[in-house]
C-alpha cells in the first residue's frame, strides 16, 4: 500500500501533455500493471493452469455456474435501479429457477428456457444515472477499472454473497476458488491479448473502456462512426 | 471466455460468397458455418495446425474484408499523410497481424453455438451491422458484430466488434501513439517487429 502511494505521488508530477486525457494516471497505472503481471505469473497463472488440467470442462462449467448464479440477485437489483423491471424480474426468476431445479446453480437451466443472463453492477447503474467514468485506473490484482467503477466496487462487494459468507474460512475458500476459476476462463483471452497488442497496456485500456461502454448500454451504445479518413 | 476467443477467431470469417451480391447477414452466416464445418471435419484444423489454419482464413475469410478500408480506419487521421508505398506496407503488415492473431484461436470455435437473427435490410442500405450471438451456459451471450459496407464486389467487412470492443478503435489508439512518437515508418516497423515475434512464438507452440 505504501509502495502504491509512492508510485501515485511520483506519477502525480509526471507531465501529462502527451498522454491520453482519459488516463491522466498512466504512469502509476503502468506500474500497477507490472505488479499485477508479476503476481499473476507467480501465483494466479500457475493456479489457473493447474485448475484447467485437474478439472474437466464440464465440472469447470458447473463451478462457473454456481458462482454466476449467486450474482443474479445483485444483477437484478441493479436492473431495477436502472429502471428495467422486466430484466430484473427475469434475473430473479433465473436465480429461483437455477438455485432449486438447477441444483444450487450448478446447472444454468434458466438460459435453456430463454431467461437470458444479464451483466450488471453498480458501476453500470451509476453510469445510467449520469455519472461519468472519470480517470482510468488499473487496480492492484483486480485489473482495469475507472474511478466511477472503483467507487462502486465496495457496494458491489457488500452485496456479494461470496465475500459476505461466514465463517471467514468458508469465505476465503470460496473467494480463492472463484478467483482461480475466473482466471482460468481468461487464459485464452489473455493469450490473445498478448498476441494482438503492440502495447498491451494500451490495448487492455481500450478494450476495457469500450467493453464498459457497451455494457452500460446493454450492447447497444450510441454508434460513433470512425472518421472517414 | 473461450468462446470470446472463438468469436475473435470467427470474426475473420466474414467471407466466402459467390460472385452475385449476397445480403450481408446471409453472407456472414454462410461463411461462419462454412468455416466451422471445415474445422469440424479436419483433425489438423481442430488441433490448431498453424499452416492449415492460416490457409483457411486466407481463402475463406480475407476476401470478404475491405483490408484497405480497415487499415485506413485503424491508422485514422494519419492515413492521409502516408505515401502510397507506406500505405501498401501498412495494409500488408496489418493484414498479417490480424491473420496471425486469429489463427491461434480459430480451433476454439469448432463447438460454438451461434445465433443468427434475420435482419431488415433495405435495398438502399450501403452500411450495416450484422450481429451474431454466441450462446453459452452460465454467462451472458457474446455479441459479435460485423460492420459491413456495400462495394461493387459485394459486401465487405471493415470492422468487427466483439462484446462491444471494436478492433479498429483499439488499434487506432495504439497506432496513433506510435505514429505520434515515431512517425508512419515507425508504425510499419513496429508492426513488422510484432509479426516477426509472433511468427517465432507461434511456430514454437503451433502444433
Amino acid at each position: 500500500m505504501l509502495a502504491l502511494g509512492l508510485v501515485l505521488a511520483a506519477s502525480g508530477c509526471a507531465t501529462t501533455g502527451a498522454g491520453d486525457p482519459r488516463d491522466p494516471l498512466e504512469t502509476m497505472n503502468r506500474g500497477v500493471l507490472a505488479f499485477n503481471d508479476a503476481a499473476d505469473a507467480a501465483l494466479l497463472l500457475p493456479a489457473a493452469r493447474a485448475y484447467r488440467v485437474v478439472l474437466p470442462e464440464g465440472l469447470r462449467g458447473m463451478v462457473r455456474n454456481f458462482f454466476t448464479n449467486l450474482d443474479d440477485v445483485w444483477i437484478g437489483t441493479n436492473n431495477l435501479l436502472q429502471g428495467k423491471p422486466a430484466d430484473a424480474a427475469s434475473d430473479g426468476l433465473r436465480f429461483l429457477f437455477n438455485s432449486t431445479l438447477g441444483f444450487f446453480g450448478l446447472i444454468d437451466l434458466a438460459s435453456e428456457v430463454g431467461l437470458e443472463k444479464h451483466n450488471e453492477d453498480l458501476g453500470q447503474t451509476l453510469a445510467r444515472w449520469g455519472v461519468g467514468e472519470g480517470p482510468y485506473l488499473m487496480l492492484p490484482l483486480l485489473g482495469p477499472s475507472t474511478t466511477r467503477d472503483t467507487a462502486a466496487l465496495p457496494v458491489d462487494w457488500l452485496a456479494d454473497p461470496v465475500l459476505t459468507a461466514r465463517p471467514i474460512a468458508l469465505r476465503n475458500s470460496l473467494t480463492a476458488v472463484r478467483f482461480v476459476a475466473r482466471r482460468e476462463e481468461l487464459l485464452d483471452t489473455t493469450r490473445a491479448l498478448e498476441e494482438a497488442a503492440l502495447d498491451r497496456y494500451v490495448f487492455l485500456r481500450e478494450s476495457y473502456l469500450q467493453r464498459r461502454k457497451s455494457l452500460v448500454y446493454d450492447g447497444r451504445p450510441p454508434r460513433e462512426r470512425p472518421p472517414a479518413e | 471466455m473461450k468462446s470470446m476467443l472463438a468469436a475473435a477467431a470467427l470474426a475473420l470469417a466474414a467471407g466466402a460468397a459467390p460472385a452475385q451480391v449476397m445480403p450481408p447477414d446471409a453472407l456472414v452466416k454462410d461463411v461462419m458455418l462454412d468455416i466451422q464445418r471445415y474445422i469440424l471435419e479436419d483433425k489438423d484444423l481442430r488441433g490448431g495446425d498453424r499452416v492449415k489454419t492460416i490457409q483457411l482464413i486466407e481463402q475463406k475469410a480475407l476476401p470478404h474484408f475491405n483490408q484497405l478500408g480497415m487499415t485506413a480506419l485503424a491508422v485514422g487521421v494519419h492515413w492521409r499523410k502516408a505515401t502510397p508505398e507506406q500505405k501498401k506496407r501498412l495494409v500488408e503488415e496489418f493484414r498479417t497481424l490480424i491473420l496471425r492473431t486469429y489463427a491461434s484461436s480459430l480451433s476454439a470455435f469448432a463447438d460454438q453455438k451461434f445465433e443468427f437473427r434475420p435482419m431488415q435490410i433495405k435495398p438502399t442500405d450501403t452500411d450495416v451491422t450484422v450481429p451474431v450471438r454466441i450462446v453459452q451456459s452460465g454467462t451472458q451471450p457474446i455479441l459479435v458484430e460485423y460492420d459491413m459496407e456495400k462495394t461493387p464486389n459485394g459486401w465487405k467487412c471493415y470492422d468487427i466488434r466483439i462484446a462491444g470492443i471494436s478492433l479498429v478503435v483499439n488499434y487506432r489508439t495504439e497506432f496513433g501513439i506510435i505514429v505520434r512518437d515515431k512517425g508512419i515508418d515507425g508504425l510499419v516497423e513496429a508492426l513488422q517487429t510484432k509479426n516477426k515475434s509472433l511468427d517465432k512464438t507461434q511456430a514454437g507452440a503451433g502444433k
Side-chain angles (χ1 to χ4, degrees):
Chain A
M1 243 357 194
L2 179 67
L4 195 67
L6 288 175
V7 182
L8 182 61
S11 66
C13 323
T15 50
T16 50
D20 194 299
R22 298 164 304 168
D23 188 10
L25 301 175
E26 179 169 343
T27 316
M28 174 191 78
N29 286 335
R30 280 189 187 266
V32 176
L33 179 63
F35 167 78
N36 286 352
D37 284 344
D40 186 58
L43 283 168
L44 206 48
L45 189 65
R49 284 190 178 139
Y51 177 76
R52 177 173 282 190
V53 171
V54 171
L55 229 60
E57 162 68 22
L59 288 181
R60 292 202 307 268
M62 285 186 185
V63 172
R64 183 175 58 226
N65 288 349
F66 173 78
F67 286 116
T68 56
N69 179 53
L70 296 176
D71 297 336
D72 273 340
V73 177
W74 184 234
I75 290 172
T77 309
N78 276 287
N79 266 325
L80 213 53
L81 292 171
Q82 293 173 30
K84 295 181 286 188
D87 282 357
S90 158
D91 297 327
L93 272 177
R94 277 184 57 87
F95 181 71
L96 289 178
F97 206 57
N98 283 341
S99 301
T100 53
L101 294 171
F103 293 101
F104 303 102
L106 295 183
I107 302 164
D108 182 12
L109 282 176
S111 286
E112 306 282 331
V113 299
L115 290 171
E116 198 167 278
K117 177 89 181 170
H118 298 126
N119 183 330
E120 303 293 347
D121 51 56
L122 191 65
Q124 293 181 49
T125 300
L126 292 178
R128 276 295 177 102
W129 291 352
V131 179
E133 60 191 3
Y136 175 75
L137 287 178
M138 178 64 71
L139 300 180
L141 300 179
L142 299 175
S145 187
T146 59
T147 309
R148 177 196 65 216
D149 293 342
T150 303
L153 216 47
V155 184
D156 284 330
W157 287 342
L158 282 175
D160 184 342
V162 168
L163 292 177
T164 50
R166 292 296 180 271
I168 295 292
L170 175 70
R171 180 201 66 185
N172 291 349
S173 315
L174 285 174
T175 306
V177 172
R178 184 171 67 179
F179 219 73
V180 172
R182 282 191 181 163
R183 182 66 184 90
E184 187 276 331
E185 285 174 52
L186 288 172
L187 281 178
D188 300 310
T189 309
T190 46
R191 194 203 51 192
L193 180 71
E194 208 82 51
E195 293 182 345
L198 296 165
D199 178 343
R200 207 163 49 95
Y201 174 83
V202 174
F203 212 86
L204 193 58
R205 179 183 70 202
E206 298 311 308
S207 299
Y208 179 80
L209 294 176
Q210 284 198 65
R211 174 68 181 145
R212 287 302 286 180
K213 189 166 189 194
S214 167
L215 282 174
V216 166
Y217 290 99
D218 293 332
R220 292 178 294 274
R223 190 165 178 188
E224 293 163 37
R225 273 304 303 270
E229 269 176 296
Chain B
M1 261 320 145
K2 204 187 254 172
S3 36
M4 188 122 167
L5 273 191
L10 210 69
L12 270 212
Q20 76 269 25
V21 175
M22 202 187 226
D25 51 343
L27 179 66
V28 167
K29 182 176 176 177
D30 236 50
V31 172
M32 287 179 85
L33 293 179
D34 198 31
I35 291 189
Q36 190 179 38
R37 198 166 45 241
Y38 270 95
I39 297 169
L40 281 173
E41 284 169 4
D42 191 318
K43 224 172 62 192
D44 296 338
L45 284 173
R46 271 206 315 281
D49 182 297
R50 190 158 172 273
V51 176
K52 271 195 171 183
T53 306
I54 288 178
Q55 244 174 21
L56 182 74
I57 302 174
E58 275 184 324
Q59 284 170 8
K60 295 288 167 190
L62 282 189
H64 301 282
F65 275 83
N66 179 354
Q67 289 168 33
L68 182 76
M70 207 165 173
T71 314
L73 282 175
V75 176
V77 290
H78 307 291
W79 183 250
R80 264 180 301 180
K81 290 183 287 187
T83 66
E85 174 59 24
Q86 284 173 325
K87 285 181 181 173
K88 199 177 133 232
R89 291 178 66 198
L90 282 172
V91 171
E92 258 167 43
E93 295 296 337
F94 190 41
R95 172 186 186 277
T96 308
L97 175 62
I98 291 180
L99 195 60
R100 297 282 183 280
T101 303
Y102 289 129
S104 65
S105 24
L106 195 78
S107 60
F109 65 79
D111 36 38
Q112 296 303 329
K113 227 165 54 186
F114 304 119
E115 217 179 76
F116 303 94
R117 288 187 175 168
M119 281 178 70
Q120 295 275 324
I121 297 162
K122 297 187 289 277
T124 48
D125 282 343
T126 55
D127 189 339
V128 300
T129 300
V130 179
V132 179
R133 298 189 340 149
I134 299 178
V135 193
Q136 49 177 5
S137 156
T139 55
Q140 207 184 23
I142 294 165
L143 180 66
V144 182
E145 295 164 292
Y146 300 88
D147 287 339
M148 314 272 292
E149 61 186 342
K150 200 176 189 174
T151 76
N153 305 315
W155 288 86
K156 303 279 176 194
C157 179
Y158 66 88
D159 191 12
I160 306 150
R161 279 190 304 277
I162 301 157
I165 303 167
S166 150
L167 195 74
V168 160
V169 173
N170 258 18
Y171 277 117
R172 189 160 50 215
T173 311
E174 279 208 290
F175 289 0
I177 294 169
I178 297 173
V179 172
R180 191 195 60 207
D181 293 346
K182 298 174 193 150
I184 305 257
D185 283 329
L187 176 58
V188 174
E189 215 171 284
L191 284 166
Q192 276 172 341
T193 311
K194 176 78 197 173
N195 285 331
K196 270 184 205 139
S197 83
L198 277 181
D199 267 343
K200 233 187 268 167
T201 50
Q202 291 186 351
K207 286 282 154 114

